[in-house]
Amino acid sequence: VATTTVTGDQVGALRRRGRPRSTRARAAILAAAGELMLEGGMAVASMEAIAHRAGVSKATIYRWWPSRGAVALEGFLEQTRDTSEIPEGLSTHDALRFQVGALIELLQDPTCGPLMRGLIGQAQSDAEIARALRERWLAPRRAIAAEVVRSGIERGEVGPDIDVAVVVDQVFAPVYHRLVFGHDRLDDGFADRLVGQLMAGLRRDATGNATSAK
Amino acid sequence: VATTTVTGDQVGALRRRGRPRSTRARAAILAAAGELMLEGGMAVASMEAIAHRAGVSKATIYRWWPSRGAVALEGFLEQTRDTSEIPEGLSTHDALRFQVGALIELLQDPTCGPLMRGLIGQAQSDAEIARALRERWLAPRRAIAAEVVRSGIERGEVGPDIDVAVVVDQVFAPVYHRLVFGHDRLDDGFADRLVGQLMAGLRRDATGNATSAK
Amino acid sequence: VATTTVTGDQVGALRRRGRPRSTRARAAILAAAGELMLEGGMAVASMEAIAHRAGVSKATIYRWWPSRGAVALEGFLEQTRDTSEIPEGLSTHDALRFQVGALIELLQDPTCGPLMRGLIGQAQSDAEIARALRERWLAPRRAIAAEVVRSGIERGEVGPDIDVAVVVDQVFAPVYHRLVFGHDRLDDGFADRLVGQLMAGLRRDATGNATSAK
Amino acid sequence: VATTTVTGDQVGALRRRGRPRSTRARAAILAAAGELMLEGGMAVASMEAIAHRAGVSKATIYRWWPSRGAVALEGFLEQTRDTSEIPEGLSTHDALRFQVGALIELLQDPTCGPLMRGLIGQAQSDAEIARALRERWLAPRRAIAAEVVRSGIERGEVGPDIDVAVVVDQVFAPVYHRLVFGHDRLDDGFADRLVGQLMAGLRRDATGNATSAK
DNA sequence: GTGTAATCGAGACGGTACGTCTCGTCTTCTG
DNA sequence: CAGAAGACGAGACGTACCGTCTCGATTACAC
């Protein structure tokens, strides 16, 4: 995953000699990984299958990514660059609702959903993937949500004794839960209910909260 | 997983012919699977390793379980037989708190935690395991929690417009979330916060909710 | 293989206690072995397949025979009890021709041919089978053929300096050779040619020998 | 066995892509197979044992040979490249004696003998091995022996009515017979007797044939 | 232009684990 | 109480991927 931190400034700086890496190969690999995850999950998306599908040799993949999970992670992040922004001026409820809605929409995508499921699966047995997933996917989104909650506390929308980290878990966890276990639908109605029922308790004055859940 | 559907009456009724299955082997396999999951997760707990550790041939494992995940599931359920009961006479808050606490306690166990992580990992790529995990682990506990919420509604402790299925997700999801991503601690304080912040919104009268988070 | 030497007189003599061995089982096992050898050779005639086909448990087979080859051998011998006799008053040529013809006829049988092929195959890796095959099948027939040759020498039909053991090989070997390698037909014409061309040289006076080969 | 069809011109012409096959691995596999056959026959020379002994993975063996027998065959042929030539100017008797002697000498080799025994054993249950053994080992040697006999007929050394194919069987069969059944010695004396007793009858004038057995 | 150096594809390599098969032994229940 | 049914430990089977390696061929900058 290390090499993916390459940014523009490097281009001019320490220009490596020899043939530069192929942009085509990188794109083909990520696309192939996504397609295969979609078709049959991590079980089908073997390194060999990805290489074959992408018309690339295995060595080329290993040259740039340390593991299958790293490819999946980068492929996932690729399609997700800018979901972290929230419109300004929203209430705490609407801001969280926006974030949950964006997450659900992403995971409903027929490529992204399986990719994330596969990533979570890999993370259970690959500590490096788990770390990367936490740092590069989870943490940034948690930070934004935490900021939303904290500003809610400052503005008096949210009670002062609330544990922010726990709130963030309460906001996102149910979404991943349904993705991972697949016991129930993952749609907009769920997002409404989820944030509604959560916020009703996070408000300082919670009169008639239950009805506000819809 | 098939053999676990054996119920009492079968013992006397349709006795299978031939040598009956070895109790020793079954116990050794489940124990070995648990130990290996603890030591290095699903990556280390290969069928071959389990068989070797248990002093058993691979064929014996495959005779009774269709996959590695099925062994892990049964091994997990083995240590968990009757955790689904709740003391009578508890308030909705206390009943949910009891369940969350029991779940966290179970997952804190150095064998059960890794087993469940491994199971969830497997379930992402093995639909059969996913199904078994939902039906044999998740569903019974969800049913009990749902019953708690429903009786809370009847008793007026919980608002009438609450979506019970969503509440159940809100109760359990954050626990699995921290288990799966490992981004934060999974302890009693978390259980308190979780149920407290959730319930504060589920009560019809939510005055001073923030402080009820303990 | 030892127990198969049980003959009638034993029945009255040392009457074994307990239930006597089942004649049905023995016959069914030998028949099943023969059928399976016919169908697909030694590869198909596994102990498990033989037991199943015969409606017998594997333990029953192992109680009476030490190995698969031993079953095949006895099954083969079963259909071959009295091929060792030769009509009296034949010339050396005709006596040998009779034996070769009987052997070829036997090996042309759709059960016996594959059985013998399988036995020879097993004998290459199972010294016990090899020994039993030599002692119980090969040796008796070699003894008779040798006697034929020896009496031919006495009567002056065969030269005195002939090595009898080598002659016996020359008589039988080409038959097994074609059975084992399958490079050419195994029929009556072959028997004629074989003994004819061989005898022409074994006669003391070999004028016009070549023409006597047909 | 496929790779053995490679002929000289390919080397320079159509260079295969990818990493070329390892010469070391091929040699180690054939050597290991030979050693193991010598030590305990086909029973000991399992694919797994060969792979382990050769320091090679099973996949590498299966990449180049379809079965255990194919490895044994190529290992056998390896040590036998050009034994098919016969010195010029020999009589029919001496030419056949030369061939039988060469065959016996080869089969007396502590590696080649067991290898051929194993091959014959395998050929009884593996049609593909049987075919390869016939075509690549037996047929060429039979063709040469047949040519010897035919030129003997032309030169008047051998009777005109002789069946050449049967003669070839008579020449070689007794050698394989003793190898396969192990009932008697396989040495030079046997070769002398064998060809002597056979030729005495194949000569047009067979006076004093018995003494010609040397 | 011509080196030169890192890229690329292809695919062989030593491993490990897979899930299946048969072996020969054993254990239990049934007829 | 013999025997069928079949579970058991053992271990080979042939396959699939793993991650590494060795090739020849291909770029694209640097001289």
Side-chain angles (χ1 to χ4, degrees), chain D residues 18-20 46-48 58-59 62 68:
Chain D
R19 177 177 174 176
S46 65
M47 281 302 219
E48 224 131 69
K58 278 195 294 176
Y62 283 107
R68 180 165 40 158

Side-chain angles (χ1 to χ4, degrees), chain A residues 8-67:
Chain A
D9 57 327
Q10 272 187 324
V11 174
L14 56 126
R15 203 67 185 81
R16 303 245 295 290
R17 310 223 302 171
R19 176 178 174 177
R21 97 172 269 191
S22 154
T23 309
R24 178 193 63 73
R26 182 179 178 279
I29 290 164
L30 295 181
E35 286 173 31
L36 288 162
M37 288 299 303
L38 166 60
E39 287 171 22
M42 221 66 178
V44 163
S46 65
M47 281 302 220
E48 228 128 68
I50 294 172
H52 184 74
R53 174 76 62 98
V56 143
S57 83
K58 281 195 295 175
T60 301
I61 305 182
Y62 283 108
R63 211 190 318 274
W64 302 107
W65 294 277
S67 73

Side-chain angles (χ1 to χ4, degrees), chain C residues 18-19 22 24 55-57 60:
Chain C
R19 175 173 172 180
S22 156
R24 180 194 62 72
V56 142
S57 81
T60 302

Side-chain angles (χ1 to χ4, degrees), chain C residues 112-210:
Chain C
C112 288
L115 265 173
M116 177 51 77
R117 285 195 64 187
L119 276 167
I120 291 174
Q122 284 291 298
Q124 303 317 304
S125 57
D126 181 337
E128 190 52 39
I129 289 301
R131 199 187 52 74
L133 191 56
R134 274 196 303 273
E135 293 179 6
R136 302 190 54 205
W137 170 253
L138 217 58
R141 274 136 196 99
R142 288 184 67 87
I144 293 168
E147 187 47 42
V148 164
V149 176
R150 253 182 254 110
S151 81
I153 293 175
E154 279 173 24
R155 292 202 306 274
E157 288 183 51
V158 175
D161 293 356
I162 290 298
D163 185 318
V164 177
V166 173
V167 174
V168 176
D169 282 318
Q170 290 182 290
V171 169
F172 291 129
V175 178
Y176 292 104
H177 195 52
R178 289 198 172 182
L179 177 74
V180 159
F181 284 95
H183 57 280
D184 214 333
R185 300 181 55 194
L186 200 55
D187 55 17
D188 260 20
F190 179 56
D192 287 335
R193 283 291 190 182
L194 179 56
V195 180
Q197 296 186 176
L198 179 62
M199 278 307 297
L202 298 178
R203 289 204 198 108
R204 185 186 276 168
D205 64 308
T207 51
N209 49 353

Side-chain angles (χ1 to χ4, degrees), chain D residues 147-205:
Chain D
E147 188 47 42
V148 165
V149 176
R150 253 181 255 113
S151 82
I153 294 175
E154 281 174 23
R155 292 201 306 273
E157 287 183 54
V158 177
D161 294 356
I162 289 299
D163 186 318
V164 177
V166 173
V167 174
V168 175
D169 281 317
Q170 289 181 292
V171 169
F172 292 128
V175 177
Y176 292 105
H177 195 52
R178 290 199 170 182
L179 176 74
V180 159
F181 284 94
H183 56 281
D184 214 333
R185 299 179 55 195
L186 200 56
D187 55 17
D188 259 22
F190 179 57
D192 287 336
R193 282 294 190 181
L194 179 55
V195 179
Q197 296 185 178
L198 179 62
M199 278 306 297
L202 298 178
R203 292 205 196 107
R204 184 186 276 171
D205 63 307

